[in-house]
Amino acid sequence: MLNTIIHRAESPSAAPPLLVAHGLFGSARNWGVICRRLAETRLVIAVDMRNHGGSPWTATHRYPEMAADLAEVIEAQGGRADVMGHSMGGKAAMHLALTRPDLVRRLVVADIAPVAYAHDQSRNVEAMRGLDLSALGTRGDADRRLAEVLPDAGLRAFFLQSLDLKSDPPHWRLNLDVLAAEMPQILGWPDTSGRFDGPALFLSGELSSYVGPQHRETILRLFPGARFAELKGAGHWLHAEKPRAFEETVRVFLDAAL
């Protein structure tokens, strides 16, 4: 079973639980503030995806398996949920909706499409694998070392959230070897049959190139009930860059009458 962080509803309602699946190199903790705010009237469950955070490390990292992981969490919570995923987590959520539509009431896909991508994250894996973890005293020490190969301060801050400095010796809470080996699977999209006829929101960042007009035909073929929205001024990390606008858009979609 995946590691989960449970956010209890402040004022419980009849709304189903919301399951939140993070993207590559992320964790359930990254979504803490957003999950707490969305938990006003419903249970919100954030997961660590396999090979991330506190979840089991496995020999493979593929979307049918990740979708099955999410299904297991939903079934343990009663059997049906709204599901939201970003990037890699969005692909896992889409695969779940296509193959187990009985488990998904509404679907939110944040800045990803059901297609293969040509960009590669292997350089970032190698940067983390190459970081000398010996004699690290503070996160600042780790940041300075990582800056030698990764100049983007925002990316470094994001990656370092998965570095456990309290352990002896420090270690990454990411199965970097498997993520590197499975990168073609992560960037790809399996030949998935099925169709999800329920409500689906494809929410993209205005400044991101991950979801474009060329993807709409594929999305609508698999998700005929899809709606599209764009967050102004946001890129791929739209939930981190425009959190309040992201929350409000998601809340309106989830709470709308069927």
Side-chain angles (χ1 to χ4, degrees):
M1 177 78 77
L2 297 179
N3 181 59
T4 62
I5 297 178
I6 305 295
H7 301 268
R8 303 288 177 187
E10 297 178 14
S11 303
S13 69
L18 172 63
L19 180 69
V20 179
H22 63 77
L24 183 62
F25 307 133
S27 72
R29 294 191 305 169
N30 298 153
W31 287 79
V33 174
I34 288 176
C35 287
R36 285 192 293 273
R37 292 173 67 95
L38 290 176
E40 183 179 354
T41 60
R42 68 170 71 224
L43 179 74
V44 177
I45 308 158
V47 302
D48 287 334
M49 302 295 280
R50 60 171 53 205
N51 297 308
H52 291 71
S55 284
W57 285 20
T58 59
T60 54
H61 196 88
R62 305 185 178 193
Y63 289 111
E65 302 162 343
M66 287 185 267
D69 294 339
L70 298 180
E72 185 179 24
V73 174
I74 293 173
E75 288 170 336
Q77 290 291 333
R80 200 157 188 253
D82 292 336
V83 180
M84 177 168 68
H86 171 249
S87 201
M88 179 192 75
K91 283 189 171 182
M94 286 188 284
H95 195 282
L96 172 68
L98 292 171
T99 56
R100 292 294 309 275
D102 57 302
L103 296 180
V104 182
R105 188 191 73 142
R106 296 188 181 209
L107 176 69
V108 178
V109 180
D111 212 61
I112 202 73
V115 299
Y117 289 87
H119 64 264
D120 193 359
Q121 295 289 339
S122 297
R123 182 177 64 87
N124 291 324
V125 173
E126 292 310 312
M128 285 184 275
R129 284 204 292 193
L131 179 64
D132 181 5
L133 299 179
S134 62
L136 279 179
T138 67
R139 200 162 300 277
D141 293 337
D143 182 66
R144 283 187 289 275
R145 292 187 190 182
L146 196 57
E148 296 174 6
V149 293
L150 189 63
D152 188 317
L155 276 181
R156 293 199 309 272
F158 172 61
F159 295 154
L160 288 172
Q161 290 181 54
S162 291
L163 180 61
D164 185 355
L165 286 172
K166 294 182 180 179
S167 64
D168 188 14
H171 71 276
W172 292 102
R173 289 188 290 262
L174 298 166
N175 191 347
L176 293 171
D177 291 342
V178 165
L179 295 178
E182 293 284 79
M183 193 60 66
Q185 303 293 331
I186 297 169
L187 298 177
W189 173 252
D191 185 15
T192 305
S193 61
R195 193 173 90 163
F196 180 70
D197 291 316
L201 174 64
F202 283 75
L203 181 56
S204 305
E206 177 193 21
L207 306 179
S208 172
S209 61
Y210 277 69
V211 183
Q214 71 275 21
H215 298 132
R216 290 206 174 193
E217 182 179 350
T218 299
I219 291 170
L220 288 169
R221 175 170 52 82
L222 298 173
F223 305 93
R227 309 173 195 176
F228 299 88
E230 189 176 81
L231 288 190
K232 299 299 181 184
H236 183 59
W237 305 97
L238 65 175
H239 60 291
E241 297 167 9
K242 301 289 182 179
R244 303 293 84 83
F246 181 90
E247 292 160 12
E248 184 58 25
T249 304
V250 169
R251 184 180 289 109
V252 168
F253 171 73
L254 294 179
D255 292 344
L258 287 170

Short mmCIF file of all heavy atoms in Angstrom, two decimals, residues 193-230:
data_model
loop_
_atom_site.label_atom_id
_atom_site.label_comp_id
_atom_site.label_asym_id
_atom_site.label_seq_id
_atom_site.Cartn_x
_atom_site.Cartn_y
_atom_site.Cartn_z
N SER A 193 -6.42 0.87 -23.58
CA SER A 193 -7.78 0.87 -24.10
C SER A 193 -8.73 1.37 -23.02
O SER A 193 -8.38 1.47 -21.85
CB SER A 193 -8.18 -0.54 -24.54
OG SER A 193 -8.13 -1.43 -23.44
N GLY A 194 -9.94 1.70 -23.42
CA GLY A 194 -10.92 2.19 -22.46
C GLY A 194 -11.31 3.62 -22.73
O GLY A 194 -10.72 4.31 -23.57
N ARG A 195 -12.32 4.06 -21.99
CA ARG A 195 -12.83 5.42 -22.13
C ARG A 195 -13.44 5.81 -20.80
O ARG A 195 -14.09 5.00 -20.14
CB ARG A 195 -13.88 5.47 -23.23
CG ARG A 195 -14.24 6.87 -23.66
CD ARG A 195 -15.17 6.84 -24.86
NE ARG A 195 -16.57 6.81 -24.45
CZ ARG A 195 -17.58 7.10 -25.25
NH1 ARG A 195 -17.36 7.39 -26.51
NH2 ARG A 195 -18.82 7.08 -24.80
N PHE A 196 -13.21 7.04 -20.40
CA PHE A 196 -13.81 7.56 -19.18
C PHE A 196 -14.85 8.60 -19.56
O PHE A 196 -14.52 9.64 -20.11
CB PHE A 196 -12.74 8.18 -18.27
CG PHE A 196 -13.29 8.74 -16.98
CD1 PHE A 196 -13.77 7.90 -16.00
CD2 PHE A 196 -13.32 10.11 -16.77
CE1 PHE A 196 -14.29 8.41 -14.81
CE2 PHE A 196 -13.83 10.63 -15.59
CZ PHE A 196 -14.32 9.78 -14.61
N ASP A 197 -16.11 8.30 -19.28
CA ASP A 197 -17.20 9.18 -19.68
C ASP A 197 -17.59 10.19 -18.61
O ASP A 197 -18.46 11.03 -18.84
CB ASP A 197 -18.42 8.34 -20.04
CG ASP A 197 -18.21 7.55 -21.32
OD1 ASP A 197 -17.69 8.13 -22.29
OD2 ASP A 197 -18.55 6.34 -21.35
N GLY A 198 -16.96 10.10 -17.44
CA GLY A 198 -17.30 11.03 -16.37
C GLY A 198 -16.69 12.40 -16.59
O GLY A 198 -15.92 12.63 -17.52
N PRO A 199 -17.02 13.34 -15.71
CA PRO A 199 -16.45 14.69 -15.82
C PRO A 199 -14.94 14.67 -15.61
O PRO A 199 -14.43 14.02 -14.69
CB PRO A 199 -17.15 15.45 -14.69
CG PRO A 199 -18.36 14.66 -14.36
CD PRO A 199 -18.00 13.24 -14.61
N ALA A 200 -14.22 15.36 -16.47
CA ALA A 200 -12.76 15.42 -16.38
C ALA A 200 -12.32 16.85 -16.68
O ALA A 200 -12.73 17.44 -17.67
CB ALA A 200 -12.12 14.45 -17.36
N LEU A 201 -11.48 17.39 -15.81
CA LEU A 201 -10.93 18.73 -15.99
C LEU A 201 -9.46 18.61 -16.34
O LEU A 201 -8.67 18.03 -15.57
CB LEU A 201 -11.10 19.56 -14.72
CG LEU A 201 -10.43 20.94 -14.72
CD1 LEU A 201 -11.04 21.85 -15.77
CD2 LEU A 201 -10.49 21.58 -13.33
N PHE A 202 -9.08 19.14 -17.49
CA PHE A 202 -7.68 19.22 -17.88
C PHE A 202 -7.23 20.67 -17.66
O PHE A 202 -7.58 21.56 -18.42
CB PHE A 202 -7.49 18.78 -19.33
CG PHE A 202 -7.54 17.28 -19.49
CD1 PHE A 202 -8.76 16.60 -19.41
CD2 PHE A 202 -6.39 16.54 -19.65
CE1 PHE A 202 -8.81 15.23 -19.53
CE2 PHE A 202 -6.43 15.16 -19.76
CZ PHE A 202 -7.64 14.50 -19.70
N LEU A 203 -6.48 20.86 -16.58
CA LEU A 203 -6.08 22.19 -16.12
C LEU A 203 -4.60 22.40 -16.44
O LEU A 203 -3.74 21.64 -15.97
CB LEU A 203 -6.33 22.31 -14.61
CG LEU A 203 -6.00 23.64 -13.94
CD1 LEU A 203 -6.73 24.80 -14.58
CD2 LEU A 203 -6.35 23.55 -12.44
N SER A 204 -4.31 23.40 -17.24
CA SER A 204 -2.95 23.62 -17.72
C SER A 204 -2.44 25.00 -17.32
O SER A 204 -3.21 25.89 -17.01
CB SER A 204 -2.90 23.49 -19.25
OG SER A 204 -3.42 22.25 -19.67
N GLY A 205 -1.12 25.14 -17.37
CA GLY A 205 -0.51 26.44 -17.16
C GLY A 205 -0.36 27.18 -18.47
O GLY A 205 0.05 26.59 -19.48
N GLU A 206 -0.69 28.45 -18.47
CA GLU A 206 -0.62 29.25 -19.69
C GLU A 206 0.78 29.21 -20.31
O GLU A 206 0.93 29.19 -21.54
CB GLU A 206 -0.99 30.70 -19.37
CG GLU A 206 -0.87 31.66 -20.55
CD GLU A 206 -0.94 33.12 -20.13
OE1 GLU A 206 -0.69 33.42 -18.95
OE2 GLU A 206 -1.25 33.95 -21.01
N LEU A 207 1.81 29.16 -19.48
CA LEU A 207 3.18 29.24 -19.96
C LEU A 207 3.81 27.86 -20.18
O LEU A 207 4.99 27.77 -20.52
CB LEU A 207 4.03 30.04 -18.97
CG LEU A 207 3.49 31.43 -18.61
CD1 LEU A 207 4.41 32.12 -17.61
CD2 LEU A 207 3.32 32.29 -19.86
N SER A 208 3.04 26.82 -19.99
CA SER A 208 3.54 25.45 -20.16
C SER A 208 3.26 24.95 -21.57
O SER A 208 2.24 25.31 -22.18
CB SER A 208 2.89 24.53 -19.14
OG SER A 208 3.22 23.17 -19.40
N SER A 209 4.13 24.08 -22.05
CA SER A 209 3.94 23.48 -23.38
C SER A 209 3.50 22.02 -23.29
O SER A 209 3.44 21.34 -24.30
CB SER A 209 5.25 23.56 -24.17
OG SER A 209 6.29 22.85 -23.50
N TYR A 210 3.18 21.55 -22.09
CA TYR A 210 2.85 20.14 -21.91
C TYR A 210 1.51 19.75 -22.54
O TYR A 210 1.34 18.62 -22.99
CB TYR A 210 2.83 19.78 -20.42
CG TYR A 210 4.19 19.48 -19.84
CD1 TYR A 210 5.15 20.48 -19.68
CD2 TYR A 210 4.52 18.20 -19.43
CE1 TYR A 210 6.39 20.21 -19.14
CE2 TYR A 210 5.76 17.91 -18.89
CZ TYR A 210 6.69 18.92 -18.75
OH TYR A 210 7.93 18.64 -18.22
N VAL A 211 0.55 20.65 -22.53
CA VAL A 211 -0.76 20.37 -23.12
C VAL A 211 -1.08 21.47 -24.12
O VAL A 211 -1.21 22.63 -23.75
CB VAL A 211 -1.86 20.30 -22.04
CG1 VAL A 211 -3.20 19.93 -22.68
CG2 VAL A 211 -1.51 19.28 -20.96
N GLY A 212 -1.19 21.08 -25.37
CA GLY A 212 -1.45 22.05 -26.42
C GLY A 212 -2.66 21.68 -27.25
O GLY A 212 -3.27 20.62 -27.06
N PRO A 213 -3.03 22.53 -28.20
CA PRO A 213 -4.18 22.24 -29.07
C PRO A 213 -4.05 20.90 -29.79
O PRO A 213 -5.05 20.25 -30.08
CB PRO A 213 -4.17 23.42 -30.05
CG PRO A 213 -3.46 24.52 -29.33
CD PRO A 213 -2.42 23.84 -28.49
N GLN A 214 -2.82 20.50 -30.09
CA GLN A 214 -2.61 19.24 -30.81
C GLN A 214 -2.98 18.01 -29.98
O GLN A 214 -3.10 16.91 -30.52
CB GLN A 214 -1.14 19.13 -31.27
CG GLN A 214 -0.12 18.89 -30.16
CD GLN A 214 0.36 20.15 -29.48
OE1 GLN A 214 -0.30 21.19 -29.52
NE2 GLN A 214 1.53 20.08 -28.86
N HIS A 215 -3.15 18.20 -28.68
CA HIS A 215 -3.48 17.07 -27.81
C HIS A 215 -4.98 16.90 -27.57
O HIS A 215 -5.41 15.89 -27.03
CB HIS A 215 -2.79 17.25 -26.45
CG HIS A 215 -1.30 17.28 -26.53
ND1 HIS A 215 -0.53 18.24 -25.91
CD2 HIS A 215 -0.42 16.47 -27.19
CE1 HIS A 215 0.75 18.01 -26.16
NE2 HIS A 215 0.84 16.94 -26.94
N ARG A 216 -5.76 17.89 -27.97
CA ARG A 216 -7.19 17.87 -27.60
C ARG A 216 -7.94 16.71 -28.23
O ARG A 216 -8.82 16.11 -27.59
CB ARG A 216 -7.84 19.21 -27.95
CG ARG A 216 -7.37 20.34 -27.06
CD ARG A 216 -8.38 21.44 -26.94
NE ARG A 216 -7.96 22.44 -25.96
CZ ARG A 216 -8.75 23.37 -25.48
NH1 ARG A 216 -10.01 23.45 -25.88
NH2 ARG A 216 -8.31 24.24 -24.58
N GLU A 217 -7.64 16.39 -29.46
CA GLU A 217 -8.35 15.28 -30.11
C GLU A 217 -8.13 13.98 -29.37
O GLU A 217 -9.08 13.20 -29.13
CB GLU A 217 -7.89 15.14 -31.57
CG GLU A 217 -8.61 14.03 -32.33
CD GLU A 217 -8.15 13.91 -33.76
OE1 GLU A 217 -7.42 14.80 -34.25
OE2 GLU A 217 -8.54 12.91 -34.41
N THR A 218 -6.89 13.72 -28.98
CA THR A 218 -6.58 12.50 -28.22
C THR A 218 -7.29 12.51 -26.87
O THR A 218 -7.86 11.50 -26.44
CB THR A 218 -5.06 12.37 -28.01
OG1 THR A 218 -4.42 12.27 -29.29
CG2 THR A 218 -4.73 11.14 -27.19
N ILE A 219 -7.25 13.65 -26.19
CA ILE A 219 -7.90 13.75 -24.88
C ILE A 219 -9.39 13.49 -25.00
O ILE A 219 -9.98 12.71 -24.23
CB ILE A 219 -7.62 15.13 -24.25
CG1 ILE A 219 -6.14 15.25 -23.87
CG2 ILE A 219 -8.51 15.36 -23.02
CD1 ILE A 219 -5.71 16.64 -23.46
N LEU A 220 -10.04 14.13 -25.97
CA LEU A 220 -11.49 13.99 -26.10
C LEU A 220 -11.90 12.60 -26.56
O LEU A 220 -13.02 12.15 -26.26
CB LEU A 220 -12.02 15.05 -27.06
CG LEU A 220 -12.00 16.48 -26.50
CD1 LEU A 220 -12.28 17.50 -27.60
CD2 LEU A 220 -13.01 16.63 -25.36
N ARG A 221 -11.03 11.91 -27.26
CA ARG A 221 -11.35 10.53 -27.66
C ARG A 221 -11.40 9.62 -26.43
O ARG A 221 -12.27 8.75 -26.33
CB ARG A 221 -10.32 10.02 -28.66
CG ARG A 221 -10.50 8.55 -29.04
CD ARG A 221 -9.60 8.19 -30.20
NE ARG A 221 -8.21 8.55 -29.96
CZ ARG A 221 -7.35 7.80 -29.25
NH1 ARG A 221 -7.76 6.68 -28.69
NH2 ARG A 221 -6.10 8.19 -29.10
N LEU A 222 -10.48 9.83 -25.51
CA LEU A 222 -10.42 9.00 -24.31
C LEU A 222 -11.32 9.52 -23.19
O LEU A 222 -11.83 8.74 -22.38
CB LEU A 222 -8.98 8.92 -23.81
CG LEU A 222 -7.95 8.28 -24.74
CD1 LEU A 222 -6.55 8.44 -24.18
CD2 LEU A 222 -8.27 6.81 -24.96
N PHE A 223 -11.50 10.83 -23.16
CA PHE A 223 -12.27 11.50 -22.09
C PHE A 223 -13.28 12.43 -22.74
O PHE A 223 -13.09 13.66 -22.77
CB PHE A 223 -11.32 12.27 -21.17
CG PHE A 223 -10.22 11.44 -20.57
CD1 PHE A 223 -8.98 11.35 -21.19
CD2 PHE A 223 -10.44 10.71 -19.42
CE1 PHE A 223 -7.96 10.57 -20.66
CE2 PHE A 223 -9.43 9.91 -18.87
CZ PHE A 223 -8.20 9.85 -19.49
N PRO A 224 -14.37 11.90 -23.28
CA PRO A 224 -15.31 12.73 -24.03
C PRO A 224 -15.98 13.81 -23.19
O PRO A 224 -16.50 14.78 -23.74
CB PRO A 224 -16.33 11.72 -24.57
CG PRO A 224 -16.15 10.50 -23.73
CD PRO A 224 -14.72 10.47 -23.32
N GLY A 225 -15.97 13.66 -21.88
CA GLY A 225 -16.53 14.69 -21.02
C GLY A 225 -15.52 15.72 -20.55
O GLY A 225 -15.80 16.49 -19.61
N ALA A 226 -14.37 15.77 -21.21
CA ALA A 226 -13.29 16.66 -20.77
C ALA A 226 -13.65 18.13 -20.93
O ALA A 226 -14.27 18.54 -21.92
CB ALA A 226 -12.01 16.35 -21.54
N ARG A 227 -13.24 18.91 -19.95
CA ARG A 227 -13.29 20.37 -20.02
C ARG A 227 -11.85 20.87 -19.89
O ARG A 227 -11.02 20.22 -19.24
CB ARG A 227 -14.14 20.94 -18.88
CG ARG A 227 -15.52 20.30 -18.75
CD ARG A 227 -16.23 20.80 -17.52
NE ARG A 227 -17.37 19.96 -17.17
CZ ARG A 227 -18.12 20.12 -16.10
NH1 ARG A 227 -17.85 21.11 -15.27
NH2 ARG A 227 -19.13 19.31 -15.86
N PHE A 228 -11.59 22.01 -20.48
CA PHE A 228 -10.23 22.54 -20.49
C PHE A 228 -10.20 23.91 -19.82
O PHE A 228 -11.09 24.74 -20.04
CB PHE A 228 -9.70 22.65 -21.92
CG PHE A 228 -9.63 21.33 -22.63
CD1 PHE A 228 -10.74 20.85 -23.34
CD2 PHE A 228 -8.49 20.55 -22.58
CE1 PHE A 228 -10.68 19.62 -24.00
CE2 PHE A 228 -8.42 19.33 -23.24
CZ PHE A 228 -9.52 18.86 -23.94
N ALA A 229 -9.19 24.12 -19.00
CA ALA A 229 -9.00 25.41 -18.35
C ALA A 229 -7.51 25.71 -18.28
O ALA A 229 -6.68 24.80 -18.31
CB ALA A 229 -9.61 25.41 -16.95
N GLU A 230 -7.18 26.99 -18.20
CA GLU A 230 -5.79 27.43 -18.21
C GLU A 230 -5.58 28.45 -17.11
O GLU A 230 -6.39 29.37 -16.94
CB GLU A 230 -5.49 28.04 -19.58
CG GLU A 230 -4.03 28.35 -19.84
CD GLU A 230 -3.84 28.86 -21.26
OE1 GLU A 230 -4.08 30.06 -21.51
OE2 GLU A 230 -3.45 28.05 -22.13
#
